[in-house]
Structures are given as structure tokens and as C-alpha cells.
Amino acid sequence: MNTIVDGVLGSLRTGAGDAMRNMQADDRQGYIMALDAGTTSVRAILFDEYGMKVAQAQRSLTMVYPNPGWVEQDPVEILSRQIACMIEVQFKTGIHSDRIRAVGITNQRETVVVWDRRTGQPIYNAIVWQCRRTAPIVDALVADGYADLIRERTGLIPDAYFSGSKIKWILDNVEGAREMADAGELMCGTIDTWLIYNLTHGQVHATDYTNASRTMLFDIHKLRWDDELCGILGVPRSMLPEVRPSAGDFGRVSSDVMTHHPPIAGVAGDQQASLFGHCCFEPGNVKNTYGTGCFLLMNTGEEAKLSQNGLITTIGIAEGGHIEYALEGSVFQAGSTIQWLRDELGIIKTSAETCDIARSIPDNGGCYLVPAFTGLGAPWWKPDARGLVCGITRDTDRAHLVRAACESMAYQTYDILRAMEADAGRPIKELAVDGGASKNDFIMQFQADLLDLEVVRSEIDETTALGAAYLAGLATGVWEDRAELASMRRSAARYSPSMDAPERERLLAGWREAVRRAIA
Ligand code: ADP
């Protein structure tokens, strides 16, 4: 192998730590490119055949806020920056498309693009998942009595978050769009579909089951677009992409972008890709991503469990000829609470220092912070609740507030996981974690103590991109089966519970009382 390339690879390789294994990895020929089309940035990441990250290129995305609560992005910017990353990562490593065996895509979910079938040009900006403009559309659906139908067929709780109402908005508000849609002249899709369509030069208009399950238009039991829901939301079936398994054939990257046009062979929404990247292959396996908010997904196997606790039922994994469902719950305020300490209260300088500050005191001193800044989500569902700090005494200082903020991520996660266990009817064995705040050893140890479970952080930071790479690699025979993927899994840290039961109960009782007050 070219020594310059070796040198580049050596300096770019991250997280390996095992020199012997790296040398072997350099000798291997094949790589997988994962495209991680996130909300704030797009990336192209190269993984070797050991599932190790070799290099990445990243570009940030511009957010457009045309009105309060509205969030958009330019679909052409998403595409062109994604392609720029694909090209940059090849040139900076010397690993070109002749050695890239497959491409996987993972994406911000629910965000939609509508484009002209004839020209391929978007007729409006992408409406981003966070955008609240379609809340009145969803309120009207609920008022018309469709909530149960939506829930039964799609597993979702009707919300502006999901794609269907966003497509309807574009058709209703862009001049001429409705007529074009009715005439079959428009196409639509989530960001995976938009990328696939353009990377294949318009040859493939497809999505995968996980992304389809976030639209409020897809029957997750019958595994097809639901004509009745499409009718209710006024979305013609002719606009919608074909739905395919997450590991499979999504065409080839056109030679305009990659000379040797590798196959696009893995596609999944970001949270589902993360579930797969963590090798959560068994029913009861759970992952939590600790970012700005927390996203929890539990594999529930081949049974779609409807939640009694306000969790969402979604398609978790569509690989290997069958569908595995998942329960999903999210914590609205997680890392954002740490940002609040830094930006609004000014009592910390960096997120990372919260770990040492929290550890500088022996316990929370009875102080709890319920970060219900925008209400409380699952399993409480109290949109009118507001944040509070309670249990303050004359001894309470900055460390108590910081500790209470850190602990609040673990308490909220605890509440969702217990709800998931109840809904799934099976206990959780361990918790796989990723995301920025999962680097905080204090929070992870406290989480393990609260749950009385092992918490495991994976060696690869980019579990989401890794999941997309795994799917693409399975579809193209780079890896034989899931057992091979599981054998490559390496954890960076493992936190074992060490709190006794009475202490755990005492802390949880304090948290429940704080939540009760926040709701009251
Ligand atoms: P996202 O993908 O949602 O932007 P990241 O996974 O990059 O989020 O995580 C960033 C969030 O995690 C921020 O809200 C930040 O405050 C928080 N965070 C990052 N590092 C730490 C840490 N060491 N301890 C606590 N919180 C952290």
C-alpha cells in the first residue's frame, strides 16, 4: 500500500488504540462510506472492514427561520454539502470509490422535500422535523377524530413533528403545487430519499421502512402506504417513494459523484441507525442518545407493542428479511439543561466541567431540578408543566445546581425506561449509550446506579453512521451476519451499578415529589 496513504490513514484514524489491529485494517482493501445527513451538519465517514472509523468530512447546514416556530433548510445545500463531504473524504485519505464497497445513508428523520418530477428542482425549502407550522393541521385531524386511527395504523401519536402534515402544508401553500401533485408531476421524500434520488441521477425514488414509519402515512403492520391516511392528509400516492428494507438495493451512486459508482445498500433514520450501530439486535435491547435531548429506542422484536404510557411505536430495524419494531421515547431537555447552566445562569464555562463539579459534593443535598422548560414529555405528558428547582437550603451552592441538572438527565431517562419495560412486558438487561453527554462519567455512573443496570458506551462515537455502514455492509456481503457485527462491538466504558436499594428509593422518591410539584 502507498506509504503516503498509510501516513494519512495513521493520522486520521480515531479511537483505535490497538496498533496491531490498525495495521491489519490498513491491509484490508474494502471500505464503507456512511453518509450522516444530520440536522445541523452533513458528514461522510469512512469505516474499514473492522467497523473502525478511518476518516470523515463534515459541512454545517444553514437553518432558515422564516417565522417564529418555523424551521426550514435548502435541499440543494443539503445535497451539495453532502456531495462535497463524499469527495473530500476520498481525496484526504486517498481511498477512492474503487475501494468503497458500499454506501450507507442515515438521516435526520421526518424532514421533507417536495420536488418537480420533470426538473428535479425542489418547489419549496425542506421543512425540518422541528418545525411547528403544521400544528393546526394536526389539531384539526385530532378534532375530526382521527387520533386513534393514526395511532393504530402508524404507531405514532399525531404531531406536527411527523412528515405527513408537512407535505400537506407544501401542497396547500405553494402556488400551483396541488394541481401539479394531482397531475402526478411532483415527488416527495424524507432526506434519505432526496439524497438517493439525486445520487442515483433520478434512477431511484425510494425510502426505507424506518423512515417511512415516521410519516404518519405508513401502515407499520401491513407495511404499505395507507390509502386512507394519504386521503385524509391529501397526499397523492404517486408522490411517495417506494419503501424498501434498510439493508438492500437503493441503486448506485452515479459516476458524476463517484467514478466507480458503489451501491447504496443501507438506509435508516438516525435513531434507528444508532439502535443498529449499538447491535441492539435482541428484543429488550435499548439505546439512549444523550444529546440536546435524549432519544431512547427499545427493540421489541417482531411484535409492534402499542404503548400505554405515551411512547411511540415505530419500525426499529428492517434487515434480514423481517421487521423488528421498537418503542421510542424522548426527553425534551437533556444536554440543553447543561447549556442553560452555561448560557443563561453563567455558572459553568464548559459542559465537560459539570462532571467534576457534580462529583465535588457527596450527594445532591436534597436539591432537584426538573427541567420542564417546555412542559414534560413521556411518560408524564404535561405540556403546561414548567421547570423548578426544589429542596434549596442555605447550604445549596452552584455544585448542587450542577449536580441536580446532571441527575435530571438520568431521572428522566429512568422514567422512560420503566415505561418501556411496562409496555414491552420484559425487563431491560443493559443500556447502550452515545451522544455528547454520554461522555460525562458522573451522569453515566448515576444512570447505572438509578437503573441498577450496566450502562455501556461504545468505542465508536458515531454509532448512527456506524449503523448505516453496518446495514450497507450486510447487504453487500462485507459482513456475513449480525453475529459478525456483534463480535466487532467494542465498548469504551462500562458503568456497573453500585448504589444500594434504599438509597436509590430515597432519591427516586425525591424526584417523584419534584415532578409532582412541577406538574402542580
Ligand atoms: P446534538 O447531536 O443534539 O447536537 P451532541 O450529541 O453533540 O448533541 O451533545 C451535545 C449536548 O450534550 C449539549 O447540549 C451539551 O451541553 C451536552 N454535553 C456535551 N458534553 C457534555 C458533558 N461532558 N457533560 C454533560 N453534558 C454534555
Side-chain angles (χ1 to χ4, degrees):
M1 182 189 264
N2 177 332
T3 49
I4 297 172
V5 172
D6 277 349
V8 172
L9 277 180
S11 64
L12 292 168
R13 190 174 295 283
T14 55
D18 178 340
M20 192 59 209
R21 201 153 148 265
N22 283 348
M23 281 172 60
Q24 289 172 350
D26 287 349
D27 292 332
R28 301 283 289 252
Q29 291 300 304
Y31 295 87
I32 304 225
M33 184 187 282
L35 311 183
D36 184 353
T39 309
T40 54
S41 72
V42 287
R43 296 186 298 165
I45 303 181
L46 283 180
F47 290 96
D48 66 18
E49 293 184 5
Y50 291 93
M52 296 302 295
K53 178 176 158 182
V54 172
Q56 73 160 13
Q58 181 165 11
R59 295 276 188 287
S60 58
L61 296 176
T62 313
M63 307 300 283
V64 182
Y65 303 105
N67 280 309
W70 292 30
V71 190
E72 299 179 0
Q73 285 176 332
D74 174 0
V76 176
E77 181 186 279
I78 295 173
L79 175 65
S80 57
R81 293 195 177 169
Q82 185 67 76
I83 292 172
C85 293
M86 296 168 77
I87 291 171
E88 182 188 322
V89 79
Q90 291 180 74
F91 279 97
K92 80 179 184 189
T93 56
I95 297 168
H96 290 280
S97 58
D98 53 336
R99 292 168 67 197
I100 295 171
R101 295 183 60 182
V103 173
I105 299 178
T106 180
N107 56 290
Q108 50 165 314
R109 303 178 302 174
E110 295 108 9
T111 300
V112 288
V113 184
V114 176
W115 65 95
D116 184 323
R117 185 183 292 279
R118 197 171 44 84
T119 64
Q121 291 299 311
I123 64 162
Y124 192 77
N125 269 344
I127 301 189
V128 176
W129 59 274
Q130 298 154 326
C131 186
R132 301 306 301 170
R133 84 183 64 188
T134 59
I137 297 178
V138 176
D139 289 346
L141 290 179
V142 174
D144 289 345
Y146 290 122
D148 287 345
L149 179 80
I150 292 172
R151 200 160 155 57
E152 278 157 26
R153 299 217 182 137
T154 70
L156 304 174
I157 297 168
D159 196 280
Y161 188 71
F162 304 112
S163 321
S165 63
K166 299 180 195 296
I167 303 170
K168 175 176 169 57
W169 189 94
I170 292 176
L171 298 186
D172 289 347
N173 290 277
V174 175
E175 203 185 327
R178 175 65 63 193
E179 294 71 28
M180 287 179 78
D182 289 341
E185 292 168 8
L186 294 181
M187 302 173 106
C188 72
T190 39
I191 296 302
D192 54 315
T193 304
W194 171 243
L195 292 177
I196 293 165
Y197 185 76
N198 285 284
L199 291 176
T200 60
H201 225 312
Q203 296 299 302
V204 179
H205 182 220
T207 188
D208 88 301
Y209 285 114
T210 67
N211 275 295
S213 74
R214 316 295 299 183
T215 57
M216 234 160 66
L217 299 170
F218 191 73
D219 185 327
I220 61 168
H221 311 282
K222 297 192 173 133
L223 301 176
R224 60 179 193 216
W225 297 116
D226 187 278
D227 283 330
E228 192 175 352
L229 289 173
C230 289
I232 292 166
L233 275 159
V235 176
R237 282 275 282 101
S238 61
M239 291 180 71
L240 294 168
E242 188 188 321
V243 188
R244 301 183 181 180
S246 306
D249 176 12
F250 292 89
R252 285 180 171 271
V253 179
S254 93
S255 44
D256 300 356
V257 181
M258 289 172 104
T259 317
H260 289 85
H261 43 85
I264 302 171
V267 176
D270 52 12
Q271 300 309 321
Q272 283 90 338
S274 162
L275 188 72
F276 203 72
H278 277 293
C279 299
C280 289
F281 300 148
E282 303 292 327
N285 286 170
V286 188
K287 73 93 194 175
N288 189 14
T289 300
Y290 295 80
T292 310
C294 284
F295 283 96
L296 290 102
L297 256 76
M298 178 200 241
N299 183 333
T300 60
E302 296 189 22
E303 201 181 341
K305 300 270 189 187
L306 264 201
S307 173
Q308 304 304 314
N309 294 290
L311 303 174
I312 286 166
T313 309
T314 196
I315 294 181
I317 302 176
E319 184 277 325
H322 55 107
I323 297 282
E324 283 146 273
Y325 293 93
L327 281 167
E328 175 172 328
S330 47
V331 171
F332 299 153
Q333 311 292 343
S336 55
T337 313
I338 304 295
Q339 287 167 272
W340 177 70
L341 297 181
R342 187 191 61 199
D343 301 339
E344 271 71 31
L345 299 191
I347 61 171
I348 55 166
K349 289 201 181 66
T350 65
S351 301
E353 68 182 303
T354 55
C355 182
D356 286 342
I357 298 173
R359 280 174 165 168
S360 70
I361 47 176
D363 58 30
N364 66 10
C367 178
Y368 290 86
L369 190 166
V370 183
F373 302 140
T374 53
L376 282 171
W380 310 103
W381 293 111
K382 297 289 179 198
D384 299 328
R386 283 297 171 267
L388 66 74
V389 180
C390 64
I392 300 174
T393 67
R394 184 64 184 80
D395 296 327
T396 305
D397 63 15
R398 156 181 110 113
H400 291 94
L401 271 185
V402 169
R403 185 165 175 137
C406 288
E407 289 187 354
S408 74
M409 280 190 231
Y411 287 122
Q412 293 177 94
T413 296
Y414 174 95
D415 288 340
I416 292 186
L417 284 178
R418 289 291 175 252
M420 277 183 172
E421 280 185 328
D423 285 334
R426 62 168 76 238
I428 294 163
K429 294 196 199 79
E430 67 172 37
L431 178 65
V433 301
D434 61 20
S438 74
K439 305 256 170 53
N440 185 311
D441 290 330
F442 168 77
I443 298 174
M444 293 303 108
Q445 182 58 50
F446 188 71
Q447 188 73 80
D449 288 341
L450 267 193
L451 289 167
D452 201 20
L453 285 177
E454 299 257 314
V455 169
V456 184
R457 187 173 66 231
S458 119
E459 180 180 329
I460 299 278
D461 259 357
E462 290 80 7
T463 333
T464 303
L466 184 63
Y470 279 174
L471 290 164
L474 280 180
T476 50
V478 173
W479 297 298
E480 201 170 322
D481 53 22
R482 292 181 182 192
E484 187 177 358
L485 299 180
S487 74
M488 299 191 301
R489 185 174 180 224
R490 292 159 80 94
S491 54
R494 191 170 267 278
Y495 304 85
S496 303
S498 62
M499 186 181 278
D500 57 34
E503 172 69 352
R504 185 163 45 246
E505 272 318 308
R506 189 182 67 76
L507 288 169
L508 284 167
W511 168 252
R512 283 187 206 110
E513 172 59 15
V515 169
R516 192 189 62 74
R517 291 194 202 180
I519 291 170

mmCIF file with all atom_site columns, all heavy atoms in Angstrom, residues 290-292 335-336 338-339 351-352 354 435-437 440 443, ligand 1:
data_model
loop_
_atom_site.group_PDB
_atom_site.id
_atom_site.type_symbol
_atom_site.label_atom_id
_atom_site.label_alt_id
_atom_site.label_comp_id
_atom_site.label_asym_id
_atom_site.label_entity_id
_atom_site.label_seq_id
_atom_site.pdbx_PDB_ins_code
_atom_site.Cartn_x
_atom_site.Cartn_y
_atom_site.Cartn_z
_atom_site.occupancy
_atom_site.B_iso_or_equiv
_atom_site.pdbx_formal_charge
_atom_site.auth_seq_id
_atom_site.auth_comp_id
_atom_site.auth_asym_id
_atom_site.auth_atom_id
_atom_site.pdbx_PDB_model_num
ATOM   1   N N   . TYR A 1 290 ? -27.677 10.651 24.438 1.00 0.00 ? 290 TYR A N   1
ATOM   2   C CA  . TYR A 1 290 ? -27.733 11.833 25.312 1.00 0.00 ? 290 TYR A CA  1
ATOM   3   C C   . TYR A 1 290 ? -27.176 13.039 24.554 1.00 0.00 ? 290 TYR A C   1
ATOM   4   O O   . TYR A 1 290 ? -25.974 13.303 24.597 1.00 0.00 ? 290 TYR A O   1
ATOM   5   C CB  . TYR A 1 290 ? -26.892 11.618 26.573 1.00 0.00 ? 290 TYR A CB  1
ATOM   6   C CG  . TYR A 1 290 ? -27.373 10.530 27.501 1.00 0.00 ? 290 TYR A CG  1
ATOM   7   C CD1 . TYR A 1 290 ? -27.094 9.192  27.225 1.00 0.00 ? 290 TYR A CD1 1
ATOM   8   C CD2 . TYR A 1 290 ? -28.081 10.828 28.661 1.00 0.00 ? 290 TYR A CD2 1
ATOM   9   C CE1 . TYR A 1 290 ? -27.529 8.185  28.075 1.00 0.00 ? 290 TYR A CE1 1
ATOM   10  C CE2 . TYR A 1 290 ? -28.510 9.816  29.520 1.00 0.00 ? 290 TYR A CE2 1
ATOM   11  C CZ  . TYR A 1 290 ? -28.229 8.508  29.228 1.00 0.00 ? 290 TYR A CZ  1
ATOM   12  O OH  . TYR A 1 290 ? -28.654 7.515  30.065 1.00 0.00 ? 290 TYR A OH  1
ATOM   13  N N   . GLY A 1 291 ? -28.040 13.737 23.818 1.00 0.00 ? 291 GLY A N   1
ATOM   14  C CA  . GLY A 1 291 ? -27.612 14.958 23.123 1.00 0.00 ? 291 GLY A CA  1
ATOM   15  C C   . GLY A 1 291 ? -28.339 16.144 23.724 1.00 0.00 ? 291 GLY A C   1
ATOM   16  O O   . GLY A 1 291 ? -28.558 16.193 24.945 1.00 0.00 ? 291 GLY A O   1
ATOM   17  N N   . THR A 1 292 ? -28.756 17.065 22.877 1.00 0.00 ? 292 THR A N   1
ATOM   18  C CA  . THR A 1 292 ? -29.537 18.209 23.325 1.00 0.00 ? 292 THR A CA  1
ATOM   19  C C   . THR A 1 292 ? -30.770 17.708 24.073 1.00 0.00 ? 292 THR A C   1
ATOM   20  O O   . THR A 1 292 ? -31.113 18.178 25.151 1.00 0.00 ? 292 THR A O   1
ATOM   21  C CB  . THR A 1 292 ? -29.965 19.034 22.097 1.00 0.00 ? 292 THR A CB  1
ATOM   22  O OG1 . THR A 1 292 ? -28.803 19.256 21.300 1.00 0.00 ? 292 THR A OG1 1
ATOM   23  C CG2 . THR A 1 292 ? -30.570 20.346 22.499 1.00 0.00 ? 292 THR A CG2 1
ATOM   24  N N   . GLY A 1 335 ? -29.057 17.574 27.414 1.00 0.00 ? 335 GLY A N   1
ATOM   25  C CA  . GLY A 1 335 ? -27.867 18.429 27.311 1.00 0.00 ? 335 GLY A CA  1
ATOM   26  C C   . GLY A 1 335 ? -28.231 19.907 27.303 1.00 0.00 ? 335 GLY A C   1
ATOM   27  O O   . GLY A 1 335 ? -27.439 20.755 27.726 1.00 0.00 ? 335 GLY A O   1
ATOM   28  N N   . SER A 1 336 ? -29.443 20.214 26.848 1.00 0.00 ? 336 SER A N   1
ATOM   29  C CA  . SER A 1 336 ? -29.867 21.622 26.807 1.00 0.00 ? 336 SER A CA  1
ATOM   30  C C   . SER A 1 336 ? -29.935 22.213 28.218 1.00 0.00 ? 336 SER A C   1
ATOM   31  O O   . SER A 1 336 ? -29.769 23.428 28.388 1.00 0.00 ? 336 SER A O   1
ATOM   32  C CB  . SER A 1 336 ? -31.228 21.738 26.122 1.00 0.00 ? 336 SER A CB  1
ATOM   33  O OG  . SER A 1 336 ? -32.152 20.898 26.763 1.00 0.00 ? 336 SER A OG  1
ATOM   34  N N   . ILE A 1 338 ? -27.786 21.579 30.534 1.00 0.00 ? 338 ILE A N   1
ATOM   35  C CA  . ILE A 1 338 ? -26.388 21.937 30.807 1.00 0.00 ? 338 ILE A CA  1
ATOM   36  C C   . ILE A 1 338 ? -26.061 23.257 30.077 1.00 0.00 ? 338 ILE A C   1
ATOM   37  O O   . ILE A 1 338 ? -25.386 24.133 30.630 1.00 0.00 ? 338 ILE A O   1
ATOM   38  C CB  . ILE A 1 338 ? -25.445 20.804 30.331 1.00 0.00 ? 338 ILE A CB  1
ATOM   39  C CG1 . ILE A 1 338 ? -25.827 19.460 30.994 1.00 0.00 ? 338 ILE A CG1 1
ATOM   40  C CG2 . ILE A 1 338 ? -23.978 21.160 30.573 1.00 0.00 ? 338 ILE A CG2 1
ATOM   41  C CD1 . ILE A 1 338 ? -25.647 19.410 32.486 1.00 0.00 ? 338 ILE A CD1 1
ATOM   42  N N   . GLN A 1 339 ? -26.580 23.393 28.860 1.00 0.00 ? 339 GLN A N   1
ATOM   43  C CA  . GLN A 1 339 ? -26.363 24.651 28.125 1.00 0.00 ? 339 GLN A CA  1
ATOM   44  C C   . GLN A 1 339 ? -27.004 25.818 28.867 1.00 0.00 ? 339 GLN A C   1
ATOM   45  O O   . GLN A 1 339 ? -26.484 26.928 28.868 1.00 0.00 ? 339 GLN A O   1
ATOM   46  C CB  . GLN A 1 339 ? -26.953 24.542 26.714 1.00 0.00 ? 339 GLN A CB  1
ATOM   47  C CG  . GLN A 1 339 ? -26.132 23.647 25.808 1.00 0.00 ? 339 GLN A CG  1
ATOM   48  C CD  . GLN A 1 339 ? -26.889 23.307 24.533 1.00 0.00 ? 339 GLN A CD  1
ATOM   49  O OE1 . GLN A 1 339 ? -27.633 22.345 24.476 1.00 0.00 ? 339 GLN A OE1 1
ATOM   50  N NE2 . GLN A 1 339 ? -26.704 24.096 23.504 1.00 0.00 ? 339 GLN A NE2 1
ATOM   51  N N   . SER A 1 351 ? -19.494 22.429 29.172 1.00 0.00 ? 351 SER A N   1
ATOM   52  C CA  . SER A 1 351 ? -20.336 21.285 29.533 1.00 0.00 ? 351 SER A CA  1
ATOM   53  C C   . SER A 1 351 ? -19.512 20.237 30.279 1.00 0.00 ? 351 SER A C   1
ATOM   54  O O   . SER A 1 351 ? -19.980 19.622 31.242 1.00 0.00 ? 351 SER A O   1
ATOM   55  C CB  . SER A 1 351 ? -20.910 20.626 28.283 1.00 0.00 ? 351 SER A CB  1
ATOM   56  O OG  . SER A 1 351 ? -21.661 21.531 27.544 1.00 0.00 ? 351 SER A OG  1
ATOM   57  N N   . ALA A 1 352 ? -18.284 20.053 29.819 1.00 0.00 ? 352 ALA A N   1
ATOM   58  C CA  . ALA A 1 352 ? -17.463 18.951 30.344 1.00 0.00 ? 352 ALA A CA  1
ATOM   59  C C   . ALA A 1 352 ? -17.160 19.117 31.833 1.00 0.00 ? 352 ALA A C   1
ATOM   60  O O   . ALA A 1 352 ? -17.047 18.126 32.563 1.00 0.00 ? 352 ALA A O   1
ATOM   61  C CB  . ALA A 1 352 ? -16.178 18.850 29.542 1.00 0.00 ? 352 ALA A CB  1
ATOM   62  N N   . THR A 1 354 ? -18.967 19.916 34.172 1.00 0.00 ? 354 THR A N   1
ATOM   63  C CA  . THR A 1 354 ? -20.061 19.526 35.082 1.00 0.00 ? 354 THR A CA  1
ATOM   64  C C   . THR A 1 354 ? -19.757 18.208 35.794 1.00 0.00 ? 354 THR A C   1
ATOM   65  O O   . THR A 1 354 ? -20.234 17.983 36.905 1.00 0.00 ? 354 THR A O   1
ATOM   66  C CB  . THR A 1 354 ? -21.399 19.372 34.324 1.00 0.00 ? 354 THR A CB  1
ATOM   67  O OG1 . THR A 1 354 ? -21.229 18.449 33.252 1.00 0.00 ? 354 THR A OG1 1
ATOM   68  C CG2 . THR A 1 354 ? -21.869 20.718 33.784 1.00 0.00 ? 354 THR A CG2 1
ATOM   69  N N   . GLY A 1 435 ? -23.838 9.878  22.272 1.00 0.00 ? 435 GLY A N   1
ATOM   70  C CA  . GLY A 1 435 ? -24.202 11.291 22.340 1.00 0.00 ? 435 GLY A CA  1
ATOM   71  C C   . GLY A 1 435 ? -23.253 12.064 23.254 1.00 0.00 ? 435 GLY A C   1
ATOM   72  O O   . GLY A 1 435 ? -22.555 11.488 24.091 1.00 0.00 ? 435 GLY A O   1
ATOM   73  N N   . GLY A 1 436 ? -23.246 13.397 23.068 1.00 0.00 ? 436 GLY A N   1
ATOM   74  C CA  . GLY A 1 436 ? -22.294 14.276 23.760 1.00 0.00 ? 436 GLY A CA  1
ATOM   75  C C   . GLY A 1 436 ? -22.254 14.077 25.272 1.00 0.00 ? 436 GLY A C   1
ATOM   76  O O   . GLY A 1 436 ? -21.178 13.929 25.858 1.00 0.00 ? 436 GLY A O   1
ATOM   77  N N   . ALA A 1 437 ? -23.418 14.033 25.924 1.00 0.00 ? 437 ALA A N   1
ATOM   78  C CA  . ALA A 1 437 ? -23.429 13.958 27.382 1.00 0.00 ? 437 ALA A CA  1
ATOM   79  C C   . ALA A 1 437 ? -23.120 12.556 27.899 1.00 0.00 ? 437 ALA A C   1
ATOM   80  O O   . ALA A 1 437 ? -22.925 12.375 29.106 1.00 0.00 ? 437 ALA A O   1
ATOM   81  C CB  . ALA A 1 437 ? -24.770 14.457 27.925 1.00 0.00 ? 437 ALA A CB  1
ATOM   82  N N   . ASN A 1 440 ? -19.970 12.093 29.979 1.00 0.00 ? 440 ASN A N   1
ATOM   83  C CA  . ASN A 1 440 ? -19.913 12.542 31.370 1.00 0.00 ? 440 ASN A CA  1
ATOM   84  C C   . ASN A 1 440 ? -19.979 11.314 32.291 1.00 0.00 ? 440 ASN A C   1
ATOM   85  O O   . ASN A 1 440 ? -21.029 10.683 32.443 1.00 0.00 ? 440 ASN A O   1
ATOM   86  C CB  . ASN A 1 440 ? -21.091 13.496 31.622 1.00 0.00 ? 440 ASN A CB  1
ATOM   87  C CG  . ASN A 1 440 ? -21.062 14.108 32.995 1.00 0.00 ? 440 ASN A CG  1
ATOM   88  O OD1 . ASN A 1 440 ? -20.892 13.408 33.987 1.00 0.00 ? 440 ASN A OD1 1
ATOM   89  N ND2 . ASN A 1 440 ? -21.240 15.418 33.051 1.00 0.00 ? 440 ASN A ND2 1
ATOM   90  N N   . ILE A 1 443 ? -22.640 11.331 35.119 1.00 0.00 ? 443 ILE A N   1
ATOM   91  C CA  . ILE A 1 443 ? -24.033 11.055 34.713 1.00 0.00 ? 443 ILE A CA  1
ATOM   92  C C   . ILE A 1 443 ? -24.203 9.566  34.400 1.00 0.00 ? 443 ILE A C   1
ATOM   93  O O   . ILE A 1 443 ? -25.195 8.946  34.799 1.00 0.00 ? 443 ILE A O   1
ATOM   94  C CB  . ILE A 1 443 ? -24.431 11.912 33.486 1.00 0.00 ? 443 ILE A CB  1
ATOM   95  C CG1 . ILE A 1 443 ? -24.363 13.403 33.828 1.00 0.00 ? 443 ILE A CG1 1
ATOM   96  C CG2 . ILE A 1 443 ? -25.848 11.556 33.016 1.00 0.00 ? 443 ILE A CG2 1
ATOM   97  C CD1 . ILE A 1 443 ? -24.600 14.336 32.640 1.00 0.00 ? 443 ILE A CD1 1
HETATM 98  P P1  . ADP B 2 .   ? -26.802 17.056 19.408 1.00 0.00 ? 1   ADP B P1  1
HETATM 99  O O1  . ADP B 2 .   ? -26.467 15.960 18.453 1.00 0.00 ? 1   ADP B O1  1
HETATM 100 O O2  . ADP B 2 .   ? -28.172 17.003 19.998 1.00 0.00 ? 1   ADP B O2  1
HETATM 101 O O3  . ADP B 2 .   ? -26.419 18.423 18.938 1.00 0.00 ? 1   ADP B O3  1
HETATM 102 P P2  . ADP B 2 .   ? -24.495 16.154 20.984 1.00 0.00 ? 1   ADP B P2  1
HETATM 103 O O4  . ADP B 2 .   ? -24.600 14.670 20.989 1.00 0.00 ? 1   ADP B O4  1
HETATM 104 O O5  . ADP B 2 .   ? -23.400 16.792 20.192 1.00 0.00 ? 1   ADP B O5  1
HETATM 105 O O6  . ADP B 2 .   ? -25.907 16.824 20.697 1.00 0.00 ? 1   ADP B O6  1
HETATM 106 O O7  . ADP B 2 .   ? -24.347 16.619 22.508 1.00 0.00 ? 1   ADP B O7  1
HETATM 107 C C1  . ADP B 2 .   ? -24.326 17.970 22.829 1.00 0.00 ? 1   ADP B C1  1
HETATM 108 C C2  . ADP B 2 .   ? -25.143 18.222 24.094 1.00 0.00 ? 1   ADP B C2  1
HETATM 109 O O8  . ADP B 2 .   ? -24.583 17.462 25.168 1.00 0.00 ? 1   ADP B O8  1
HETATM 110 C C3  . ADP B 2 .   ? -25.094 19.667 24.502 1.00 0.00 ? 1   ADP B C3  1
HETATM 111 O O9  . ADP B 2 .   ? -26.375 20.029 24.962 1.00 0.00 ? 1   ADP B O9  1
HETATM 112 C C4  . ADP B 2 .   ? -24.095 19.709 25.641 1.00 0.00 ? 1   ADP B C4  1
HETATM 113 O O10 . ADP B 2 .   ? -24.445 20.672 26.603 1.00 0.00 ? 1   ADP B O10 1
HETATM 114 C C5  . ADP B 2 .   ? -24.179 18.312 26.224 1.00 0.00 ? 1   ADP B C5  1
HETATM 115 N N1  . ADP B 2 .   ? -22.866 17.821 26.667 1.00 0.00 ? 1   ADP B N1  1
HETATM 116 C C6  . ADP B 2 .   ? -21.768 17.655 25.920 1.00 0.00 ? 1   ADP B C6  1
HETATM 117 N N2  . ADP B 2 .   ? -20.747 17.183 26.655 1.00 0.00 ? 1   ADP B N2  1
HETATM 118 C C7  . ADP B 2 .   ? -21.209 17.050 27.914 1.00 0.00 ? 1   ADP B C7  1
HETATM 119 C C8  . ADP B 2 .   ? -20.647 16.597 29.139 1.00 0.00 ? 1   ADP B C8  1
HETATM 120 N N3  . ADP B 2 .   ? -19.388 16.185 29.223 1.00 0.00 ? 1   ADP B N3  1
HETATM 121 N N4  . ADP B 2 .   ? -21.454 16.596 30.225 1.00 0.00 ? 1   ADP B N4  1
HETATM 122 C C9  . ADP B 2 .   ? -22.734 16.994 30.158 1.00 0.00 ? 1   ADP B C9  1
HETATM 123 N N5  . ADP B 2 .   ? -23.316 17.421 29.027 1.00 0.00 ? 1   ADP B N5  1
HETATM 124 C C10 . ADP B 2 .   ? -22.570 17.457 27.919 1.00 0.00 ? 1   ADP B C10 1
#
